[in-house]
Amino acid sequence: EAGVAQSPRYKIIEKRQSVAFWCNPISGHATLYWYQQILGQGPKLLIQFQNNGVVDDSQLPKDRFSAERLKGVDSTLKIQPAKLEDSAVYLCASSAAQKGRDEAFFGQGTRLTVV
Amino acid sequence: DQQVKQNSPSLSVQEGRISILNCDYTNSMFDYFLWYKKYPAEGPTFLISISSIKDKNEDGRFTVFLNKSAKHLSLHIVPSQPGDSAVYFCAAKKTQGAQKLVFGQGTRLTINP
């Protein structure tokens, strides 16, 4: 079974530029998460999708971040415009979410550096 | 508001000994707890979980203990091996509703030969 795929692996941009990340979850997984992990901290949930609907985006900086999940499968996370403090690893995860007692599977992440 | 806390940023253990990683949570609505392991340049990988209806779950060298009254859980690794050196994250969720998965800050475990 293929895991969660993310691209690109690394991205360096200048502040005020735009960037987009892509995630392909495990086939059949209804729940998709985007996390931001700043160096030395734990992953912070940005947005959670159930199929193609948003169930939590309370910590998403909506003035600059946006995310969508196309047809309940792939997802993209966009930052426009980027700030220096957005430098982090962006992790995508998915889970089957059948009964709640299941784990989330993570991709390798995209390391973003804003200079 | 840090709902899941790992107060030890790092831990160093000798190979063959027991490693104990601790985690505290504040939200009494959490009823499912997970431990993840993370190597550099990789995403976190699931290690072991426990439901709030249990107080212990064991999987090979890994055992998770849950103390609901203290809102505390711990991960025991015995015996510790060099390959266990990684960052360990505790995570918690409610199995009803949005099922938001909340992570702690992580503990870097180093196993010394």
Side-chain angles (χ1 to χ4, degrees):
Chain A
E1 179 183 80
V4 176
Q6 288 188 249
S7 67
R9 286 296 310 277
Y10 305 93
K11 190 75 177 178
I12 300 174
I13 61 172
E14 294 183 351
K15 58 184 179 183
R16 291 187 290 273
Q17 284 188 322
S18 302
V19 65
F21 312 127
W22 174 81
C23 174
N24 186 12
I26 292 173
S27 177
H29 278 192
T31 302
L32 185 146
Y33 310 83
W34 280 104
Y35 284 88
Q36 179 193 58
Q37 186 179 12
I38 293 172
L39 187 64
Q41 299 181 19
K44 182 182 88 171
L45 181 67
L46 293 176
I47 189 166
Q48 178 179 338
F49 292 95
Q50 182 76 16
N51 297 308
N52 60 353
V54 175
V55 296
D56 191 295
D57 63 357
S58 56
Q59 297 192 92
L60 186 74
K62 298 180 186 65
D63 57 334
R64 299 184 300 107
F65 286 64
S66 64
E68 60 178 0
R69 189 174 184 192
L70 306 172
K71 299 180 182 179
V73 183
D74 290 10
S75 179
T76 56
L77 176 69
K78 296 179 182 178
I79 307 175
Q80 180 180 13
K83 293 185 175 181
L84 295 176
E85 61 259 36
D86 298 332
S87 294
V89 175
Y90 290 84
L91 294 162
C92 178
S94 69
S95 70
Q98 295 289 340
K99 298 180 181 178
R101 292 177 183 157
D102 59 331
E103 67 269 26
F105 294 84
F106 283 82
Q108 290 184 294
T110 296
R111 180 175 295 278
L112 173 67
T113 303
V114 183
V115 297
Chain B
D1 177 26
Q2 189 71 31
Q3 297 185 68
V4 179
K5 298 179 183 180
Q6 295 175 256
N7 293 317
S8 298
S10 63
L11 176 66
S12 186
V13 174
Q14 193 171 359
E15 181 179 0
R17 297 289 183 99
I18 184 171
S19 296
I20 300 176
L21 296 96
N22 293 303
C23 177
D24 297 294
Y25 61 96
T26 57
N27 190 337
S28 57
M29 298 299 291
F30 288 145
D31 59 357
Y32 194 63
F33 305 89
L34 307 92
W35 284 93
Y36 282 81
K37 177 179 180 180
K38 186 181 184 303
Y39 292 120
E42 295 184 11
T45 55
F46 170 73
L47 196 55
I48 191 169
S49 62
I50 187 167
S51 166
S52 61
I53 61 175
K54 295 184 176 181
D55 55 16
K56 176 183 174 181
N57 189 26
E58 200 170 345
D59 183 3
R61 296 185 298 114
F62 303 91
T63 303
V64 57
F65 295 92
L66 175 63
N67 182 334
K68 282 187 295 182
S69 60
K71 295 192 180 68
H72 177 83
L73 62 156
S74 60
L75 174 68
H76 292 211
I77 307 173
V78 57
S80 299
Q81 299 175 354
D84 296 330
S85 295
V87 177
Y88 289 79
F89 292 100
C90 170
K93 66 190 287 189
K94 293 180 282 185
T95 56
Q96 301 299 319
Q99 300 177 25
K100 181 176 169 180
L101 187 60
V102 180
F103 282 81
Q105 310 95 308
T107 297
R108 180 177 299 280
L109 175 65
T110 302
I111 305 301
N112 301 307

